[in-house]
Amino acid sequence: MRRFLTVMGALLVGCALALGTAARAADIKALPWHLMDYRYQLGQALPFQTLAITLDITADPDPKEYIYICALWGYIGEESFYFGLQSDLHEGLGGRSSTGPGLIFTRWGTADPADSRPAVDGWVVPPGPNTPDEGVSLSVRRPFDWGDGRYTFVLQRRQGTDLALSSWVDLMVFNHQSGQWSDGGGLRFSTSAPALGHRPVTFAEVYGRDRGRFGSAEAQAQGLDPVTLVIHPLRVDGVMVAPTGHVVQPKKVPGEVTQQQARVTEGMGVRLGYQPAAKP
């Protein structure tokens, strides 16, 4: 009888542990995860000829961790876009190979490569089987060796090349560590007066994990590194626009986020922090 109770007790404990694991796994959404979103509240759209944002990044990017630091997502006119740095940039051109760290600039609402200008060492990615979640979109990408540090991203309307009711917008990135500028390519938007919508977002995302090491949803939540972003004031045609908004962590994403003011060269910015979930 005692042996029977011992065996039953062990089975019950095992069931409880299994149910606990299942419950924890059920509390975690499928990848990709936005670790933290900083949602600006600008009050109104901002017409621009040049638009610049500077980020201080501490993320310890590992090519196999698939980290995306989105410097800015938003709208230009009626069309959404984003640009930023990925730790392992997917080629997106028929194969499933990755190219290492890189720079990405994407817009939605067109799939016509004629609306894109890749950098000399870059390429264009139209919709296809390797971009199943992107919808009707067009992306210019290029290798870009980045790590922890400060980066300034500049959108600039290209003068003298617009068609009626359209504008070319180019992306340039300044690496403060190396002191070098890099061309991020250009995209054409369907507006003759580019303006940033009043609710853009800066975010950090995990867009995949090595399934060989992290097979389950619960396992994928382990081993993430902390991420810190310091967002400097936007500069619109040279005029400083201090970041105003709040940080949000989407539901069912493991870990915690923080937000606080941070003094930067241009005045006051905002510091965002992501802390991974503790091991169970």
Side-chain angles (χ1 to χ4, degrees), residues 30-34 62-68 86-88 205-211 213-214 220 224:
L31 290 166
W33 298 329
H34 279 213
D62 181 335
K64 293 188 178 298
E65 293 300 332
Y66 307 109
I67 297 291
Y68 177 30
Q86 294 190 348
S87 61
D88 200 4
E205 178 188 50
V206 173
Y207 56 95
R209 302 213 77 188
D210 185 345
R211 292 184 179 181
R213 292 186 293 165
F214 307 102
Q220 289 170 354
L224 293 172

Side-chain angles (χ1 to χ4, degrees), residues 50-53 232-241 266:
T50 62
L51 171 67
I53 181 172
H232 294 235
L234 295 171
R235 285 195 175 272
V236 181
D237 296 339
V239 177
M240 186 175 67
V241 179
E266 306 92 331

Side-chain angles (χ1 to χ4, degrees), residues 7 9 25 29 34 50 80 89 111 134 141 145 154 161 206 215 239:
V7 171
K29 72 183 293 288
H34 279 213
T50 62
S80 59
L89 192 62
E134 298 302 319
R141 307 179 181 190
D145 190 12
V154 180
T161 59
V206 173
V239 177

